[in-house]
Amino acid sequence: MAITLLITDRNLTVQGDPLTGWKDLDATLKFNEPASGSVTLPAYPEVMAQLQPGNRIVIIRNGSIWCAGPMEQPTDYDWSVDSAGVGEVTVNFSDDLAKIAGHITWPEPALTWAGQHGDTWRNFNAVNSETIIRALVNENAGPGARTDRRIPRLALDTAAGVGTTTSLRTRFEPVLDACRLAAASGGGIGFRTRQAGGQILFGCYAPANRTATARFSTGLGNLRGVAFSQSAPESTHALVAGTETEGSSIRTFVQVADTTAAAAWWRVEKYVDGGAENDDTGELTAAGTAEVADGAAPVSLSTVTVDTEDLQAGRDYQLGDRVAVALPHGLQVTDIVRAITLQASPDEGEQVASVIGSQDATTDPRTVRLIRTLSSRLGRLETRRR
């Protein structure tokens, strides 16, 4: 096991010697979400001096950065008269996506907050999804943002040339929520941050189909647990309604259907408030496509795997890649890698495990959709009042 822990300031300047005496390291990388992790350290004065608000932790595994980002809780200190020495401090951290997650989408990002207009939205009409995601991050948190909103050292990575055409309309919602929607409706692409050359680089990538080479089963010794269920879709036909135009009786309606799911199961209709007056730029169609995609998933798979010499996370497959899982009763299913966790301690060594499955393997999609729908409706109501 070769793991090194460093502390940097927000400008990526290393603050001291590598941390020693650590234990219980747990760092989970997540697909299109900020990472989460914790590590316990001896509370030596030289260690405590580095654990300051705004500083970052960098985890280097086998010569490469595994995770790097802000310490969200730099000092959770514990000492008692029964304990020996200086006590322990637990550090909770994330990766640099967490900083971007703290920003919201401004309709007019070049203007001051006081200068925003109540009737404006940030619109992307029939634009490549990677272009949308890069623009949202750049203008709200990156080098293209107003000076007071820029995240130190954040820059755009080289464009990957991935994604498909989609449309997006946003205002005052978390930047990463808007990015995830564009990623899902625009080709299922991924996005991430990485530390390189004194910068925090944000970029997109296309997950790969590795079902032929990345396989998990009890026979291969890399499958530790699995939960599998199959159920009817929540929606096969999205019936999208455009917003009513004041003074007009004309209203645009669009239908988006998953005919394959409807034929296999049955027709399930879902009303969708499209958020636009018409479908000239494909916005209503995009809303319907997203609804059908969210409601379709009849297969729910949650799998825990472990690294072996023949198949290792980060080397043979990445976050977002589609892999194959052979269930103990003989059925083989495929799904994407949602999370990869590194757990390590000096005494017990390290273990890398992956969570493979549908979106609800790591989040509650119903809750996410509900919050997004309510936020969208409230935003439209606010616009109409002004």
Side-chain angles (χ1 to χ4, degrees), residues 188-207:
I189 63 175
F191 54 82
R192 59 194 171 197
T193 55
R194 64 185 182 94
Q195 180 179 323
Q199 292 181 305
I200 300 168
L201 298 177
F202 174 89
C204 299
Y205 65 100

Side-chain angles (χ1 to χ4, degrees), residues 153-171:
R153 299 292 178 175
L154 179 63
L156 294 181
D157 208 339
T158 303
V162 300
T164 59
T165 299
T166 188
S167 297
L168 182 75
R169 192 169 187 242
T170 181
R171 68 195 302 265

Side-chain angles (χ1 to χ4, degrees), residues 41 87 91 94 104 134 160 186 191 222 282 323 340 373:
L41 306 164
V91 177
S94 183
I104 65 173
R134 288 168 61 88
F191 54 82
N222 54 16
V323 298
I340 303 176
T373 299

Side-chain angles (χ1 to χ4, degrees), residues 173-306:
E173 67 177 321
V175 169
L176 290 191
D177 281 3
C179 289
R180 277 189 287 269
L181 183 57
S185 62
I189 63 175
F191 54 82
R192 59 194 171 197
T193 55
R194 64 185 182 94
Q195 180 179 323
Q199 292 181 305
I200 300 168
L201 298 177
F202 174 89
C204 299
Y205 65 100
N209 186 341
R210 303 189 187 278
T211 54
T213 57
R215 299 183 67 255
F216 299 88
S217 71
T218 54
L220 294 173
N222 54 16
L223 184 61
R224 289 292 181 265
V226 60
F228 171 78
S229 66
Q230 190 171 24
S231 58
E234 296 177 7
S235 63
T236 63
H237 290 68
L239 307 179
V240 188
T243 57
E244 298 182 38
T245 303
E246 188 173 350
S248 174
S249 60
I250 299 175
R251 192 175 185 186
T252 302
F253 295 92
V254 172
Q255 175 178 278
V256 178
D258 183 344
T259 55
T260 301
W265 294 87
W266 51 80
R267 182 184 178 106
V268 184
E269 298 179 343
K270 185 70 173 291
Y271 174 82
V272 180
D273 187 346
E277 292 184 358
N278 55 60
D279 200 37
D280 292 349
T281 61
E283 190 170 339
L284 300 184
T285 298
T289 301
E291 179 61 41
V292 170
D294 282 343
V299 173
S300 177
L301 174 69
S302 179
T303 304
V304 179
T305 71
V306 293

